[in-house]
Amino acid sequence: MNRHRVLIVDDESDIRSIARLALERVGGWQVFTAASGLEGVEIAVREQPEAILLDGAMPGMDGLATLRELREREETRHIPVVFITASVQAAQQRVFRSAGARAILAKPFDPMTLAAEVAAALGWKE
């Protein structure tokens, strides 16, 4: 099993905890977490994860602003971003994709299938 390195950026601590547990226990991955977009950018620069799971709706620096900041930085522009959001309307998905998101997954997610869904969205062979 490949030990992927993933960063979860979400302002809700319960979502971060459930996603982290799911990816670590079910996926066998190494997981970093951030409670805000700014913290997420800092951790992404420092840890260089293979992918970032990003909440679309956060106070302050929301998901789109965070993605734009990641894309502007040389150290993080290559990291694929998957949005995990409750807002899955087609118009919002187009906005996320046009900003550079690799995929959009819906909240609430199934912790037992989250790792497989992320791997599939990123084209990782498990």
Side-chain angles (χ1 to χ4, degrees):
M1 187 176 293
N2 197 345
R3 187 153 165 82
H4 294 294
R5 294 168 38 92
V6 178
L7 169 61
I8 299 165
V9 183
D10 198 303
D11 62 306
E12 296 181 50
S13 62
D14 57 336
I15 298 291
R16 285 193 312 275
S17 297
I18 292 166
R20 176 182 207 150
L21 192 62
L23 297 177
E24 287 177 342
R25 297 261 172 94
V26 178
W29 299 354
Q30 181 179 9
V31 179
F32 306 95
T33 63
S36 69
L38 186 59
E39 183 185 15
V41 171
E42 292 170 359
I43 292 171
V45 167
R46 184 176 67 241
E47 298 296 338
Q48 292 294 299
E50 291 174 73
I52 298 170
L53 306 185
L54 182 57
D55 181 20
M58 295 183 289
M61 189 180 204
D62 69 6
L64 280 174
T66 303
L67 179 55
R68 286 187 191 108
E69 180 66 26
L70 290 164
R71 292 299 172 254
E72 288 176 9
R73 291 174 178 253
E74 183 67 34
E75 313 95 325
T76 56
R77 69 174 44 129
H78 66 282
I79 302 171
V81 170
V82 174
F83 274 94
I84 297 187
T85 182
S87 176
V88 292
Q89 293 88 6
Q92 188 63 47
Q93 285 196 20
R94 281 193 297 275
V95 170
F96 289 155
R97 287 196 189 280
S98 68
R102 183 74 62 88
I104 298 104
L105 301 178
K107 281 183 188 176
F109 53 82
D110 179 348
M112 298 309 293
T113 61
L114 182 61
E117 289 176 39
V118 171
L122 296 171
W124 292 346
K125 305 293 182 229
E126 290 300 298

